[in-house]
Structures are given as C-alpha cells and as structure tokens.
Amino acid sequence: MKSTPVTVLSNKRIAPHCFRMVLSGISEEFDVEPGRFIMLRVGDRYDPLLRRPFAAYVTETVRGKALEIFYAVVGYGTGIMSGMTPDTRLEVLGPLGNGFTIPDPSRRFLIVAGGMGIVPLRGLTHRLIDTNCHNIHVFAGAKTKSHLLFEEELKTREISFHPATDDGSTGYHGFVTDRLDRFLAKDLPKKGNGTVCFACGPSAMLEAVAGIADRYGIPCQVSLESRMACGIGVCLGCAVKLRNHRTPGPDNEYYGRVCVEGPVFESKDLVWPI
Amino acid sequence: MADLTTKIGKLTLKNPVLAASGTFGYGLEYSHYLDLNELGGIVVKGLSLHPRNGNPPPRIMETTGGMLNSIGLQNIGVEAFITEKLPDLRRYDVAVIANIFGNTIEEYAQVARRLSAVEGIAGIEVNISCPNIKAGGIMFGRDPGQAEMLTARVRKATLLPLLVKLTPDAPDISEVARRVQDAGADAISLVNTFVGMAIDVETATPFLSTITGGLSGPAIKPLALRLVWEVARKVTIPVVGMGGIASARDALEFIIAGAHAVQVGTANFINPSICIDIINGIRDYLHAKDIQNLNHVVGSLRIKGNEAASD
Ligand SMILES: Cc1cc2nc3c(=O)[nH]c(=O)nc-3n(C[C@H](O)[C@H](O)[C@H](O)COP(=O)(O)OP(=O)(O)OC[C@H]3O[C@@H](n4cnc5c(N)ncnc54)[C@H](O)[C@@H]3O)c2cc1C
Ligand SMILES: Cc1cc2nc3c(=O)[nH]c(=O)nc-3n(C[C@H](O)[C@H](O)[C@H](O)COP(=O)(O)O)c2cc1C
Ligand code: FES
C-alpha cells in the first residue's frame, strides 16, 4: 500500500460549518469499512506539515469510484481545504484503523452522533441497511437545525430519526444524550435486550453515552478522535488509555493507539474519562 | 553506478539513509509502504529494560513546519522486542540498530548487554537526549562528564558498534561529543529533538500534557545542520546527522556538512516511503555530478577563502 494520489472532483459547503469533498483516483479495489479513516495530505510542502485524519466513504460518481469526506472547518488545515478548487491534487493514505464491528442483523441498533460524529455513523447506517438490519434508531445532536447533517438521507424506512439541537430549532431541545436516556427509560422492561449502541462525537458526549449504555447493559462501540501524526501506529502520538481485562488490578491500564487499535473501541475497554 | 556504502565504525551500511528512532516503530509497520531491504538501516523505537507506558495524552502538537512530541518513550521493553519483533525483522537484509535508554547508567548497560546476546542487531544507539522523561535521558546528555561515564559503561557491556545520540540542548555539544568519543563510541548521532512548547490561547493552557515537548521536522533543519557541522569538525569518529530531513537535498546538506550517514524522522509520517525517495535522490545527485563514491561528498563543504586549504 502506497500513498495514493487523488484529485479533487468537487468541494462544496453543505452546512454552515461543513464541507463535502469528493476525491477521484482511488482504485476499484479501494473499500472503506465504516469507522475506518484516511490520512489526507493537505499540501505538497511542509505547511501544514502533518496529514489530517478523516472518516472516509466510498461513493459512486459518473467518473467511477470516488472517496467522499465531510469536514468541519476548525483550523489551519481544514481552512486551507475549504478553499480548494476542483483538480487540486492531494494524497491519501489508507484506509486505516479498525472500524465498527457489526453484530447480527436481528439486533436493535442505537446510533448516537454528536456534531461531526455523524459522518462515520452515516456510513455505518448505509452498511447496516445493506446487510438487512431493519431496526435502526439514529440519535443525532447538532448546534442548530442547519448544522444537522444528512437529515433527509437518514429518514428511511429502516431508520427512526431522533434529532436534538442545542437551540431547539428542530427535534429535542437539549443534549442528544438526554434524548437517548429518555428513549431508553421508556424502554426499561426490555433492559437492553438485543440492543447495541454505536457512538461518535465529542469526548464528553461519548462518556455520557458510555455511561447510559452501561446502565442499561447495552454493549457500546465508540469512535474516537485524537491528534495524529502518522496514522499507522509508529509515532505513538494518538495514545488513549485502555483497560486490559486479562490482568485485573491497578496495573491493567495501558496506552493503545487510536489509529491502529481504534478509532473504534468497545466502551468497556476504555479508561474513562478519555 | 556510484558507491553509496558508508561505514559507521565496523558497521558497513548499504547506503547512508536510516530511519530515525521513534518515527519508524519497530520497522515492520513500514513493510507495507516500502522495501525495508533497500534502507541503509532502521533505528527502532527506544528500548528500555522494562516496558514503559509513556506520557498521558495529548502527546503531539503541530507547529509551523514542525511538531512537538512528548511520547515519553513508551515501548514494549527489550525482552518483548527480542521475542516478538526481532525474529520478523531478521528476515530482512537491513541493518537493525537498537535505540536504548534507561533511568540509570546500570540500566543502559543491562539493555546493551541483553541486545548483544542475540542475533540480528547491527548496532546500538544510546539515547542520552530524550527531553520527555523525568529520570535519565537528557540529564546524561547535557553534562559532558555524565555522558562520558555512561558511554564508557555501555562500551564495556557490548562489542556491537556503538552510536551515542546527543541532545541539541547541551550547553557545549562539541565537548559532549569529544568526551563520548574518548569513552569509546564508534559514532555520534545528532540531533535529538529541541525542547519546545505551544500554548492554546483560548484556554491559556499548554497543548501538551507535559507542558514542554521535543520539536522535530523541517523547522529544526538549519539548527540541526549547524550542530552537525560543528561536531563533525571536532571529532574523528563518524557523525550520523538528522533533524528535519525531508528530501535528498536536505540529506546531502548534512553529508556535505560532514555526516557519514543521515536519519530521517518526522518526514516518514508525511510520506511513509520517503526514505526510498531520498536514497534515489542521493544516487541521482552523485550520477549528475559524476561522483563515484559517496565518501567524496562527506564533509565536502567549500568555504570561500579556505578552498585552497581544503582541496
Ligand atoms: C479517526 C478520525 C476521523 C476523523 N474524521 C473526521 C471527519 O470525518 N470530519 C471532520 O470534520 N473531522 C474529522 N476528524 C477530525 C479532524 O481530523 C480534525 O478536525 C482536523 O485534523 C483539524 O485540522 P486543522 O488543521 O483544521 O486543525 P488544527 O489547526 O490542527 O487544529 C484546530 C482544532 O482542531 C482540533 N484538532 C486538530 N487535530 C485533530 C484531530 N486529529 N482530531 C480531533 N481534533 C483535532 C484541535 O484540537 C483544535 O481545536 C477525525 C479525526 C480522527 C482522529
Ligand atoms: C514521535 C517521535 C518519537 C521519537 N522517539 C524517539 C526515541 O524513542 N528515541 C530517540 O532517540 N529519538 C526519538 N525521537 C527523535 C528522532 O529520532 C529524531 O532525532 C528527531 O525527531 C529529529 O529528526 P526529524 O526532524 O527528522 O524528526 C522521536 C521523534 C519523534 C517525532
Ligand atoms: S497517529 Fe501515530 S501512532 Fe497513531
């Protein structure tokens, strides 16, 4: 696997904070399991220096297979990306890391997203639907209605969509995790039976989701973010504290790598708060 | 074709380009991205007597043209390296150099002795320059007396070619280099990272959990180059230069300044096959200049006014 040269096909704002970029040049074999990511080289010199990690999705275009990423403009690198025009040449490393593990389709799937966390989870819902999962609930938190991504796309036959916004402009007025908690509270008799949970978003939100899932006895997979330099496991910059279940005791905590052992982890394997 | 081989003590390298410690894992991680057999050598992640957990996150932060890290020498320990990594590494025809560190001089010696007892280690690089651990590391590298004592002790523990890696943050790096040479080192590696820091002004907090960290990458190249040039003039043993190398031209600058070999660190993160590009670029340069042997380039810096003396 080498770094793949790609070309910007399109790069458009789709929400006040978010751009969609489509990159051509990947091979026919290129496939990204939901939850895996790519490292994108933003320039061709040293500024910015490091590649930036993004959840990746393979999409079909008139010109064949292409890579689709959705990014929030939060800093220097994503700021530069937002000004890129079609035909800009970039480089992609990946797909990298471990994605979501999908249990059998008869389960009930609770998908909990905060902000940009919806991006890898949207890929996951597509995969779930493709593999005949019918009982999917998406809980999506956003700042306002206009920050809520993929709303139309995620309102399908298989999905119950539960939005939550900070300002109440659509859906539940408040934290998405409170929305989730209320949903489960009504659901108590089932006590998590056959339910699985997948979450991605800010770390405080993930901690809340992990706590709720734990309370209801629901297995929970969370997708983490971390600053990364290499994305391939060599720099040890993306460390997150994990619990080794085989050796109980105070010495059972160690640092794993978000880029290799993750970015998706079982919430019980993480030492919270992350 | 030009001869790219270079000698570090009794160790002969295929070419002068090595992957730097801490940026190349235990080597095997990169086997998907390049042919390890083509490298001049691999310096593996710093090894200690016992496994180390490293520092809490956040551990890295990008700065202009560089990055700060405070990994804290997280590693699997020398035993796990020997049993879990070395057998696979040995299948490659590449010089494996073990980078080592300890909390005490005795620990350094123990790790060196352990590595000398196994097949497949081409040399030992002693890290007396890590800014990110509390005990050991840079403490030994700042003080010429300590550096000399430590080198002498490790020298007694191993017959393997011995490289000692210096910190750029020593008050008198040339003096450290001279004393390390006197104590029996076969080569000097420099530089390790420069101590630096970065602050999040929104929260008025440092970006790294350890407040300060080590700066690497293109941003440090001119500083590193100057130190390599200084030290190479003051010692007779070979110097392995590094600090911000990201192209063949960067590598050639270090070689012209007096380095017999170079290491590539942070640039591996940006382009995982960059070492190969650099090797090819050096070969092309020699070809274009019609130079038969890399050794003719080592220390070939021409300084106006001094040219008669050096020719
Ligand atoms: C596995 C993974 C998948 C990701 N997927 C997406 C995605 O699909 N869409 C998306 O918009 N973002 C995603 N991110 C986050 C994205 O990588 C960062 O937002 C981006 O690197 C910021 O770059 P910058 O140069 O604009 O920011 P900088 O100028 O470097 O920093 C600006 C701000 O961004 C934060 N930041 C920087 N790097 C990261 C990082 N690696 N992770 C989290 N925060 C960071 C900083 O703390 C700072 O507040 C993902 C991160 C990871 C680790
Ligand atoms: C993430 C990271 C980890 C490092 N770990 C080690 C280490 O374990 N031992 C060591 O001697 N140097 C270590 N270094 C220093 C590098 O080997 C090298 O000396 C330094 O980064 C300068 O070279 P560069 O600018 O090409 O990266 C590390 C550097 C980085 C960026
Ligand atoms: S980003 Fe380098 S080890 Fe994960």
Side-chain angles (χ1 to χ4, degrees):
Chain A
M1 184 172 33
K2 284 264 159 70
S3 180
T4 313
V6 292
T7 308
V8 177
L9 267 184
S10 72
N11 184 33
K12 292 208 176 79
R13 191 186 289 274
I14 61 153
H17 65 308
C18 178
F19 280 71
R20 170 181 185 260
M21 184 183 267
V22 181
L23 300 159
S24 68
I26 55 171
S27 70
E28 274 308 308
E29 298 82 63
F30 199 100
D31 191 24
V32 187
E33 294 296 320
R36 300 190 75 195
F37 66 99
I38 51 132
M39 292 289 277
L40 184 70
R41 185 158 179 205
V42 175
D44 53 9
R45 289 194 49 82
Y46 314 136
D47 186 29
L49 183 68
L50 302 169
R51 291 175 187 245
R52 300 295 194 259
F54 295 99
Y57 186 80
V58 173
T59 188
E60 290 297 331
T61 70
V62 284
R63 293 206 229 161
K65 251 185 163 180
L67 201 60
E68 180 180 53
I69 62 173
F70 294 89
Y71 62 94
V73 180
V74 296
Y76 190 56
T78 49
I80 292 174
M81 285 166 65
S82 69
M84 283 178 180
T85 51
D87 295 332
T88 305
R89 302 188 58 79
L90 300 171
E91 285 206 22
V92 161
L93 202 62
L96 305 166
N98 279 310
F100 296 102
T101 309
I102 302 178
D104 79 87
S106 66
R107 300 293 194 95
R108 180 173 65 167
F109 296 87
L110 304 184
I111 304 223
V112 193
M116 291 304 287
I118 191 74
V119 174
L121 294 171
R122 168 234 189 200
L124 174 68
T125 61
H126 289 182
R127 186 61 58 96
L128 291 177
I129 291 167
D130 289 347
T131 52
N132 288 319
C133 306
H134 306 290
N135 194 352
I136 306 170
H137 291 264
V138 173
F139 298 83
K143 211 155 97 184
T144 70
K145 180 172 169 55
S146 52
H147 291 82
L148 193 65
L149 305 177
F150 314 121
E151 187 177 6
E152 291 315 311
E153 183 184 324
L154 291 172
K155 282 181 176 160
T156 68
R157 201 160 34 83
E158 299 89 346
I159 299 176
S160 310
F161 189 68
H162 314 272
T165 50
D166 295 347
D167 67 349
S169 49
T170 189
Y172 179 77
H173 186 172
F175 288 143
V176 68
T177 46
D178 291 339
R179 179 70 192 86
L180 172 72
D181 207 3
R182 285 172 181 232
F183 174 85
L184 285 167
K186 277 205 210 139
D187 204 45
L188 258 187
K190 291 192 205 133
K191 251 296 183 190
N193 219 339
T195 300
V196 289
C197 181
F198 299 86
C200 183
S203 45
M205 176 222 135
L206 293 180
E207 189 178 359
V209 175
I212 294 167
D214 189 48
R215 233 171 42 240
Y216 289 95
I218 299 169
C220 180
Q221 293 176 31
V222 299
S223 184
L224 302 186
E225 283 190 1
S226 155
R227 292 190 160 272
M228 293 184 174
C230 71
I232 60 174
V234 296
C235 75
L236 308 180
C238 62
V240 62
K241 205 173 244 182
L242 302 180
R243 180 163 283 127
N244 182 344
H245 298 285
R246 278 171 307 179
T247 50
D251 292 336
N252 68 353
E253 294 175 1
Y254 67 101
Y255 286 114
R257 298 161 296 182
V258 172
C259 70
V260 174
E261 284 83 27
V264 178
F265 293 91
E266 292 284 346
S267 71
K268 66 171 173 25
D269 293 342
L270 294 164
V271 177
W272 298 94
I274 46 168
Chain B
M1 202 147 63
D3 182 2
L4 285 188
T5 60
T6 188
K7 286 193 81 163
I8 305 296
K10 52 187 192 268
L11 175 63
T12 302
L13 302 175
K14 268 181 221 169
N15 65 63
V17 180
L18 301 101
S21 179
T23 65
F24 218 71
Y26 300 104
L28 302 161
E29 292 91 336
Y30 276 91
S31 58
H32 308 293
Y33 299 98
L34 50 77
D35 181 359
L36 297 177
N37 299 304
E38 288 184 32
L39 297 176
I42 297 171
V43 189
V44 299
K45 176 71 190 164
L47 297 167
S48 49
L49 198 53
H50 304 292
R52 272 181 72 103
N53 249 342
N55 292 331
R59 291 177 169 183
I60 51 175
M61 179 62 201
E62 181 168 328
T63 58
T64 308
M67 66 176 278
L68 291 164
N69 89 80
S70 75
I71 308 303
L73 292 174
Q74 176 178 345
N75 79 102
I76 59 176
V78 69
E79 280 313 319
F81 171 74
I82 290 169
T83 54
E84 291 165 25
K85 305 291 178 189
L86 195 55
D88 287 330
L89 260 182
R90 256 199 306 257
R91 293 188 288 121
Y92 295 92
D93 175 27
V94 62
V96 175
I97 295 177
N99 180 283
I100 68 166
F101 71 96
N103 291 326
T104 62
I105 289 185
E106 206 38 52
E107 266 180 39
Y108 274 94
Q110 270 176 280
V111 182
R113 196 176 310 114
R114 184 69 192 94
L115 288 164
S116 310
V118 296
E119 197 70 19
I121 305 286
I124 290 182
E125 181 176 74
V126 185
N127 177 3
I128 56 167
S129 42
C130 183
N132 295 325
I133 56 173
K134 288 204 189 81
I138 202 163
M139 237 172 53
F140 297 114
R142 285 203 173 120
D143 176 344
Q146 293 264 344
E148 179 173 4
M149 206 152 62
L150 188 143
T151 307
R153 182 69 194 86
V154 177
R155 177 73 288 171
K156 269 199 217 134
T158 182
L159 294 171
L160 288 170
L162 195 61
L163 297 79
V164 177
K165 184 166 175 181
L166 306 189
T167 170
D169 289 318
D172 185 353
I173 194 172
S174 297
E175 179 60 13
V176 177
R178 246 191 324 252
R179 301 277 283 269
V180 161
Q181 166 177 281
D182 291 348
D186 296 302
I188 304 280
S189 297
L190 79 162
V191 298
N192 208 317
T193 53
F194 289 78
V195 182
M197 73 188 279
I199 295 171
D200 182 346
V201 298
E202 292 305 323
T203 56
T205 53
F207 272 113
L208 298 177
S209 72
T210 49
I211 306 173
T212 62
L215 183 65
S216 64
I220 69 170
K221 200 194 77 183
L223 303 171
L225 185 63
R226 195 278 287 188
L227 291 170
V228 166
W229 174 67
E230 288 280 348
V231 169
R233 290 188 302 166
K234 307 244 165 73
V235 295
T236 52
I237 54 177
V239 166
V240 180
M242 79 198 87
I245 294 175
S247 69
R249 293 202 155 261
D250 293 341
L252 284 159
E253 283 191 67
F254 281 81
I255 294 168
I256 291 168
H260 282 74
V262 295
Q263 294 183 19
V264 179
T266 303
N268 292 304
F269 303 154
I270 300 149
N271 172 1
S273 50
I274 196 154
C275 286
I276 303 297
D277 298 350
I278 292 176
I279 296 164
N280 291 335
I282 294 175
R283 192 176 285 122
D284 292 348
Y285 172 88
L286 295 185
H287 181 78
K289 296 254 175 200
D290 202 19
I291 300 169
Q292 303 306 320
N293 195 315
L294 177 81
N295 289 316
H296 298 157
V297 186
V298 175
S300 62
L301 184 71
R302 298 155 61 113
I303 297 172
K304 270 213 180 92
N306 283 357
E307 283 193 42
S310 62
D311 275 350

